[in-house]
Amino acid sequence: MRIDRDRPASGPLVRGFGAGGFKVDAPDGTMGVYPALLLTATRADSWSPPPLDALDEAALAPLLGEAIEFILLGTGATLRRPPRALVAALEAQGVGIEPMDSRAAAKAWGVLRAEDRRVAAALYPLES
């Protein structure tokens, strides 16, 4: 799927996704495709995520260095819940986590960034 929209938000934006991964463009005009992805307001990084049931703060550490309200967690092709221990650990830091399938999270990213929300995203691959 291709996502068309003007660049109303700063930082990297997801422009499409499919079997090969997430197509992301940066403000400097560079484009990359990432099978799994970590996003902040300033960067997009390739990610090698653990199995979802083993997801912990260490796997999300690159996102936690910035002041964020919550993390969009794209859990792959379907919505799955993250480990309760992770949710509790993030909440103790004042950071929420919003799980959804990775397609929905990729779409929500652009909307939330256009609103200048302080959000980060961790997107599992669409296919495992």
Side-chain angles (χ1 to χ4, degrees):
M1 169 182 236
R2 181 182 163 143
I3 303 172
D4 288 321
R5 77 174 48 101
D6 294 331
R7 179 173 270 291
S10 61
L13 293 177
V14 178
R15 292 295 189 178
F17 48 81
F22 302 93
K23 186 176 182 181
V24 177
D25 74 344
D28 65 3
T30 59
M31 183 78 61
V33 177
Y34 305 86
L37 177 64
L38 294 177
L39 288 164
T40 70
T42 58
R43 67 182 196 279
D45 297 317
S46 185
W47 185 38
S48 296
L52 186 62
D53 60 355
L55 184 62
D56 60 12
E57 286 178 274
L60 299 176
L63 304 178
L64 298 172
E66 299 187 24
I68 57 173
E69 299 171 51
F70 62 93
I71 296 172
L72 287 173
L73 178 62
T75 59
T78 61
L79 168 63
R80 298 183 317 162
R81 299 286 174 203
R84 289 181 187 209
L86 172 64
V87 174
L90 292 174
E91 286 177 352
Q93 296 180 45
V95 176
I97 188 164
E98 294 292 332
M100 57 191 72
D101 69 73
S102 290
R103 287 177 181 86
K107 291 175 187 177
W109 173 257
V111 173
L112 293 166
R113 288 300 306 137
E115 295 174 355
D116 266 343
R117 298 289 300 272
R118 294 176 307 133
V119 62
L123 306 180
Y124 273 80
L126 293 170
E127 298 180 3
S128 46

